[in-house]
Amino acid sequence: MKEYDSSFYEIQKAFLENEIAEYGLADGKLRGMVGLVCLTAIQTLQETPEKVQACIAAGVSVTEIKEAMYQAAPYIGYPRVSAALAVVNETLCALGIEPQGEDMSETTADTRFEKGLAVQISIFGDQIRRMRESAPAETKHIQDCLSANCFGDYYTRGYLDLKVRELLTFTAIISIGGCDPQAKAHAAGNLSVGNTKKLLIETVTTCLPYIGYPRTLNALTCIEEVCK
């Protein structure tokens, strides 16, 4: 790109190094994980090796990298995460780093639903019970999957705390776009677990160069609506 599109390259480089660096996430570890989830969500895999290297330089462990990416799976689908993991593993091997992270599973087949539902309620309150009770019989299994899989299999995992997981979830949702009700719900979820409006805006700003202005402005609208 430097050779054939030097002007475009310089515009993007300056934008990243100036406005985005100033107003985006200051914490290098969090910025790296958010960036990886964003790139995974939009399947911009050619940018992934550079982002992995930035994560390692910022002190993000292999387990943190893997957990960040696993967290995105219920929101963007397994194939996207699997494709990105292949690039991440290849990059780590090229850097001479063992790509196998620690197993952070903390549930069993017998406990995943119960523990997942508990996490759901801790973030979103009793509206979860009402949502389950009002679900049509033919779609009740989706509500069960949401509790057992999305929350039981992922949110209960170790290493990353609930604040980071909820922020990464918000990142995945705003990156794919077209999910404003879910973006709004998880903006509220972030506030519920102790993340701030400022942190959410910094996260959106960090994602801006990758997701573009329409999705960025939609995400900011969702944040503003839950902060009224």
Side-chain angles (χ1 to χ4, degrees):
M1 190 163 64
K2 289 183 185 180
E3 181 178 358
Y4 297 111
D5 301 285
S6 58
S7 177
F8 177 73
Y9 172 80
E10 291 300 331
I11 290 171
Q12 296 306 311
K13 183 174 183 292
F15 185 48
L16 288 166
E17 293 179 352
N18 294 306
E19 290 98 333
I20 301 304
E22 181 177 358
Y23 297 107
L25 292 164
D27 183 277
K29 292 182 66 173
L30 198 53
R31 183 172 64 247
M33 288 187 287
V34 163
L36 269 179
V37 167
C38 178
L39 292 178
T40 299
I42 62 177
Q43 284 293 276
T44 310
L45 302 183
Q46 69 270 24
E47 301 270 353
T48 299
E50 183 178 346
K51 195 64 68 177
V52 171
Q53 293 178 50
C55 282
I56 296 300
V60 184
S61 70
V62 170
T63 300
E64 286 173 315
I65 288 173
K66 294 301 183 71
E67 288 299 320
M69 298 181 69
Y70 298 166
Q71 182 65 27
Y75 303 95
I76 65 175
Y78 290 107
R80 294 186 191 185
V81 174
S82 296
L85 282 171
V87 177
V88 169
N89 291 336
E90 182 180 341
T91 303
L92 290 171
C93 287
L95 293 171
I97 299 172
E98 168 58 49
Q100 178 69 54
E102 300 175 59
D103 183 3
M104 292 290 109
S105 299
E106 295 188 357
T107 60
T108 66
D110 294 328
T111 64
R112 59 197 284 269
F113 173 80
E114 179 184 350
K115 290 188 175 182
L117 180 59
V119 173
Q120 263 187 297
I121 293 171
S122 75
I123 299 173
F124 300 106
D126 282 339
Q127 65 175 308
I128 297 300
R129 296 188 193 279
R130 293 193 294 272
M131 183 174 66
R132 288 181 54 78
E133 290 170 358
S134 63
E138 63 267 27
T139 62
K140 186 179 182 298
H141 66 284
I142 300 295
Q143 295 298 324
D144 291 343
C145 289
L146 188 63
S147 297
N149 177 241
C150 181
F151 287 89
D153 289 339
Y154 294 99
Y155 273 85
T156 62
R157 294 174 68 85
Y159 221 97
L160 298 182
D161 64 23
L162 196 54
K163 293 172 70 173
V164 172
R165 289 188 180 279
E166 187 61 13
L167 191 67
L168 295 175
T169 291
F170 181 71
T171 298
I173 291 170
I174 66 168
S175 295
I176 57 176
C179 303
D180 288 356
Q182 290 76 22
K184 190 186 301 184
H186 282 279
N190 271 274
L191 299 176
S192 173
V193 299
N195 289 330
T196 64
K197 178 183 179 181
K198 179 175 182 291
L199 183 65
L200 288 174
I201 293 173
E202 289 172 350
T203 298
V204 174
T205 303
T206 296
C207 294
L208 166 58
Y210 309 104
I211 66 175
Y213 285 97
R215 292 177 187 179
T216 295
L217 294 174
N218 287 346
L220 292 177
T221 297
C222 291
I223 294 170
E224 290 298 331
E225 288 183 3
V226 301
C227 289
K228 288 179 181 179

